[in-house]
Amino acid sequence: MASLRIVIFGNSGSGKSTLARALANRAGLAHLDLDDIAWKSEAVRQDLQVSLKALEFFQNQHPAWVIEGCYGSLIRAAAARASQLIFLNPGVEACQQNCRNRAWEPHKYPTREAQDANLAMLLDWVAGYETRDDEFSLAAHRSIFEEFAGNKTQITSNSQAVELIQQLCTSS
């Protein structure tokens, strides 16, 4: 498993965290959620250079890892040292349904009610994935995927993600 360095990216609600946690647990990989280094405080982005240094530090500390997020600038940097890229692209409707079904994330929200209070905003954000032109957009993610010269996979359903976990954990 020491050779696995996986970057998982896609829209909010695409299943990045679920897949990354499963891979980290099954394959013994260090796990980094890019949310943890992208934000200085609530609603205030960290300076990109600070986030990039934190990313580099994480990669230098762990020979095998899984990194997940939606930040194009950080994904590109992480991908430069990745052995595998996984683009989760199940479609907007599936992402929105996953957001509705999301368990409480205590590392992001103090209460389930606080998380639920942000659901309408999150669903709107997810809906704009295909039309935005920022680093969080489908266009940006597709560009990263197409430019990556190494081993890469595009996942278009939750069942494909489960199959990929099984494949990676038995082949490494």
Side-chain angles (χ1 to χ4, degrees):
M1 299 292 172
S3 64
L4 285 179
R5 295 175 315 281
I6 302 169
V7 176
I8 301 170
F9 63 103
N11 196 3
S12 293
S14 62
K16 298 178 302 294
S17 296
T18 301
L19 179 58
R21 281 192 301 268
L23 286 171
N25 290 336
R26 298 253 329 253
L29 305 175
H31 174 214
L32 175 63
D33 180 340
L34 291 175
D35 286 343
D36 295 342
I37 64 170
W39 297 97
K40 188 175 196 173
S41 60
E42 188 174 329
V44 178
R45 253 325 262 280
Q46 182 66 267
D47 177 76
L48 179 59
Q49 293 307 311
V50 172
S51 295
L52 289 170
K53 285 188 187 302
L55 173 63
E56 182 180 14
F57 180 80
F58 175 84
Q59 290 177 312
N60 288 340
Q61 294 301 308
H62 305 283
W65 43 256
V66 58
I67 296 172
E68 48 109 347
C70 60
Y71 310 88
S73 54
L74 297 174
I75 294 163
R76 277 188 200 283
R81 294 173 65 180
S83 61
Q84 171 134 14
L85 209 62
I86 301 173
F87 177 23
L88 295 181
N89 189 19
V92 167
E93 287 183 24
C95 291
Q96 287 178 320
Q97 190 60 46
N98 289 343
C99 288
R100 288 184 191 95
N101 296 335
R102 184 175 281 174
W104 173 42
E105 298 173 302
H107 61 288
K108 294 183 182 180
Y109 297 96
T111 65
R112 175 67 194 216
E113 292 75 24
Q115 179 173 307
D116 290 345
N118 283 327
L119 183 58
M121 180 273 309
L122 180 59
L123 294 174
D124 285 343
W125 172 258
V126 169
Y129 183 64
E130 295 175 350
T131 57
R132 283 194 308 270
D133 63 357
D134 57 17
E135 72 170 321
F136 308 99
S137 69
L138 174 61
H141 291 168
R142 194 169 273 149
S143 173
I144 292 166
F145 184 76
E146 290 171 1
E147 292 169 12
F148 188 73
N151 187 10
K152 59 187 176 184
T153 305
Q154 181 173 198
I155 301 293
T156 58
S157 70
N158 290 339
S159 61
Q160 282 183 316
V162 170
E163 290 172 16
L164 181 63
I165 291 169
Q166 294 169 340
Q167 178 185 21
L168 288 172
C169 291
T170 57
S171 67
S172 297

